[in-house]
Amino acid sequence: MPAHRLPHRPGRVAIPGQSRGTPTPDTPGSTDTPGGVPSPLERFNAASAEDAERALLTCLHSPGWAVRVASHRPYPDLTSLLAAADEAAYDLPRAERVAALSAEALPDLPKGAYSAAHTALNAANTAYESRFGHPFVIYVDDLRPDEVLDHVLEGIRSRLANDPEEERLVAGEELRRLARGRLTALLSDGDR
C-alpha cells in the first residue's frame, strides 16, 4: 500500500486520554460507565483539541473535517456526534474531499482470496483511478468477509459507468459512510 494511503482499520483505534475533568457519575447528564470509568465519548469530549483532531483523522483524512467536528465538542451523545460528522463531511470543499479520497485504500480482501482476485481488483481500481482521479472507495463494514470481493468488484464495474459529477456525489457519500463507521467503532464501548 502506498505510504500516503490510510490503512483500512476494521478494529478499534485508541482514543486520546483524558486531559481535563469529566462529569462524575452523579452529575446530571453524565454517561460514565459502571465503576466510574469515563465512556469513550466522554474521553473524546474531554481530550485536547489536538488529540481529538488526531483521533478524528483516523476516521477521515481531512484536517478541515477533523477541526470542525472537534471544535463543536462536547457532544451529548454519539447520535449528535455522528450528525455533526455527517454535516461536516457533506460540506467538505472539493479539494479537501479529493485529498481525503486519495488517502483511502481499497478494502482488504478476505484471507485466502485467489491471486486472480487481487489482480482483478487492482486492474479495476487502476481503471477507476485513471477515469476519476482518485482511488475507489466503498463502505463494506456491514458485509460478511466472503461478500466483500464481489461487492467491491461489482461496485467498481457499475460506478465506472458514472459520469464524473455523478461519481463525485457517490464517492462523497461512500467517504461519509466510511468516516461514520470508523467514528462509531472509535467511540463504541466494545458492546457492539
Side-chain angles (χ1 to χ4, degrees):
M1 172 180 5
H4 71 282
R5 302 257 174 98
L6 292 174
H8 175 67
R9 293 191 175 128
R12 296 161 51 107
V13 179
I15 57 177
Q18 191 172 331
S19 63
R20 351 181 246 251
T22 187
T24 59
D26 55 341
T27 302
S30 174
T31 57
D32 271 354
T33 56
V37 176
S39 71
L41 180 61
E42 288 174 324
R43 289 192 307 271
F44 174 76
N45 280 335
S48 70
E50 181 180 280
D51 285 346
E53 290 164 18
R54 189 175 313 121
L56 289 165
L57 285 171
T58 68
C59 301
L60 180 66
H61 190 73
S62 168
W65 177 84
V67 167
R68 183 171 171 186
V69 173
S71 70
H72 286 91
R73 293 173 306 145
Y75 293 98
D77 52 40
L78 183 60
T79 302
S80 300
L81 172 58
L82 293 175
D86 284 349
E87 182 179 333
Y90 286 128
D91 293 344
L92 280 178
R94 184 180 196 288
E96 198 158 343
R97 185 180 53 254
V98 169
L101 286 166
S102 295
E104 291 295 329
L106 285 171
D108 292 330
L109 292 181
K111 290 188 183 349
Y114 294 106
S115 64
H118 289 277
T119 301
L121 186 56
N122 288 333
N125 189 53
T126 299
Y128 180 93
E129 280 193 66
S130 75
R131 175 154 166 75
F132 298 112
H134 57 80
F136 178 77
V137 294
I138 192 166
Y139 181 77
V140 296
D141 289 354
D142 294 339
L143 300 176
R144 293 188 331 252
D146 63 335
E147 298 174 326
V148 171
L149 177 62
D150 289 338
H151 185 75
V152 171
L153 286 173
E154 175 56 33
I156 290 177
R157 285 186 200 115
S158 67
R159 288 169 52 188
L160 273 169
N162 289 347
D163 65 64
E165 181 57 24
E166 182 180 14
E167 184 55 25
R168 181 188 69 77
L169 295 173
V170 173
E173 177 63 13
E174 291 296 319
L175 192 63
R176 182 199 63 79
R177 290 180 70 206
L178 285 167
R180 183 182 182 89
R182 291 170 182 162
L183 191 51
T184 299
L186 178 73
L187 296 176
S188 72
D189 284 320
D191 54 323
R192 294 178 194 257

